[in-house]
Amino acid sequence: EVQLLESGGGLVQPGGSLRLSCAASGFTFDNYAMAWVRQAAGKGLEWVSGISGSGAITYYAGSVKGRFTISRENSKNTLFLQMGGLRAEDTAVYYCAKKVHSGLAPFDSWGQGTLVTVSS
Amino acid sequence: QSVLTQPPSVSGAPGQRVSISCTGSGSNIGAGYDVYWYQQLPGTAPYLLISGNNNRPSGVPDRFSGSKSGTSASLVITGLQAEDEADYYCQSYDTSPSGSVVFGGGTKLIVL
C-alpha cells in the first residue's frame, strides 16, 4: 500500500524558512516523479513544484520560483520542500503527491498534508 | 485565479445526472494535454477519479466519466448519490512554463 507522510509544517514569521519532508513507502520511490501541491483554507488546489524520479529535473510554479527548492533523497525514500522568503500568501496545507508515472500523468496518491502558517 | 475555469458549484437530486465543466486554453487542454479529475471530501486529500482518456482507476464507479473537446473538458456523474457531495477539481498540464501543472478552481457538488 502506498503511503505518503508529510511533516515539518508549523508557524513561521514572514520572511522565514521552513523545510517540509514527505516519507514515502509501498512503492519503488525512485521510479516515480513527485510533487508538492498546496491548498489555502477554503481555496482550491495549487501546484507548487515537481521533481523527476532521479531528482535531476525540477519544476516550479511562478509564485514560488526562486524562493522554494524541491529535492529528494531516494536512498531514504523522502521528498523535501525547502521554503524561504515565506509570505502570508504561502499559508496553506501542503500535500506531497505521487505521479502515476514519470511523464505527463496525474497524481494517484496523496499524503494527508501538513499545515504551514506564515504570520507574525 | 486558476488557469482552468470551473463553475463554483453544481447541484442535483439523488439519481440525477450532473456535469462539471473545465475550460482551459490553447496552452493547456487545447495543446492536447489530458485532463484529470479529482474528488475531495471535506477534510481529506484529493482522490484521483479520472486518469485521462476517460480511464477510471480501480475502485472508481463507472458512474463517473470524463470527456474532452477542444479547450474544454467535462466530468459527468450519473445516478447521483448523497456520498458524491464533495469538491471536484480538474487538472492538466501547460506549455508555459513547460511541464507546469494547472488545476481548476474547483466545483462544489451539492446533492439536494
Side-chain angles (χ1 to χ4, degrees), chain A residues 37 39 43-47 59-60 62 65 95 99-100 103-113, chain B residues 2 33 36 38 40 44-48 50-52 89 91 93 97-105:
Chain A
V37 178
Q39 186 171 36
K43 303 296 184 181
L45 301 172
E46 180 189 14
W47 172 77
Y59 305 90
Y60 296 95
K65 194 168 187 178
Y95 295 102
K99 273 193 179 182
V100 170
L104 299 175
F107 304 108
D108 63 348
S109 297
W110 298 66
Q112 86 293 343
Chain B
S2 302
Y33 294 121
Y36 316 111
Y38 301 87
Q40 187 177 33
T44 69
Y47 175 79
L48 181 62
I50 302 292
S51 58
Y89 294 90
Q91 180 236 311
Y93 284 85
S98 178
S100 61
V101 173
V102 290
F103 283 100

Side-chain angles (χ1 to χ4, degrees), chain A residues 3-83:
Chain A
Q3 289 195 334
L4 300 171
L5 185 61
E6 303 95 336
S7 61
L11 175 63
V12 60
Q13 292 189 339
S17 300
L18 210 56
R19 188 196 200 200
L20 305 184
S21 299
C22 172
S25 61
F27 63 103
T28 305
F29 186 63
D30 56 5
N31 281 357
Y32 294 90
M34 301 289 294
W36 289 97
V37 178
R38 68 185 180 185
Q39 186 171 36
K43 303 296 184 181
L45 301 172
E46 180 189 14
W47 172 77
V48 172
S49 182
I51 188 168
S52 63
S54 68
I57 303 172
T58 58
Y59 305 90
Y60 296 95
S63 58
V64 307
K65 194 168 187 178
R67 299 189 298 124
F68 291 10
T69 301
I70 190 171
S71 62
R72 61 194 296 162
E73 189 165 350
N74 286 345
S75 63
K76 295 186 177 180
N77 290 351
T78 305
L79 175 72
F80 301 101
L81 184 69
Q82 179 67 48
M83 304 186 294

Side-chain angles (χ1 to χ4, degrees), chain B:
Chain B
Q1 64 276 21
S2 302
V3 173
L4 305 179
T5 301
Q6 298 180 236
S9 67
V10 298
S11 63
Q16 285 189 333
R17 172 188 185 277
V18 296
S19 176
I20 298 173
S21 61
C22 174
T23 303
S25 68
S27 67
N28 40 68
I29 299 174
Y33 294 121
D34 279 336
V35 178
Y36 316 111
W37 290 91
Y38 301 87
Q39 178 192 64
Q40 187 177 33
L41 298 170
T44 69
Y47 175 79
L48 181 62
L49 273 183
I50 302 292
S51 58
N53 292 325
N54 196 26
N55 291 322
R56 289 180 302 278
S58 174
V60 175
D62 60 6
R63 302 186 296 105
F64 295 89
S65 63
S67 64
K68 188 185 83 165
S69 178
T71 59
S72 296
S74 293
L75 173 70
V76 172
I77 309 172
T78 58
L80 205 57
Q81 299 180 4
E83 56 262 36
D84 297 334
E85 186 160 296
D87 293 324
Y88 292 83
Y89 294 90
C90 60
Q91 180 236 311
S92 187
Y93 284 85
D94 205 292
T95 57
S96 180
S98 178
S100 61
V101 173
V102 290
F103 283 100
T107 298
K108 172 71 176 178
L109 170 61
I110 300 166
V111 180
L112 302 170

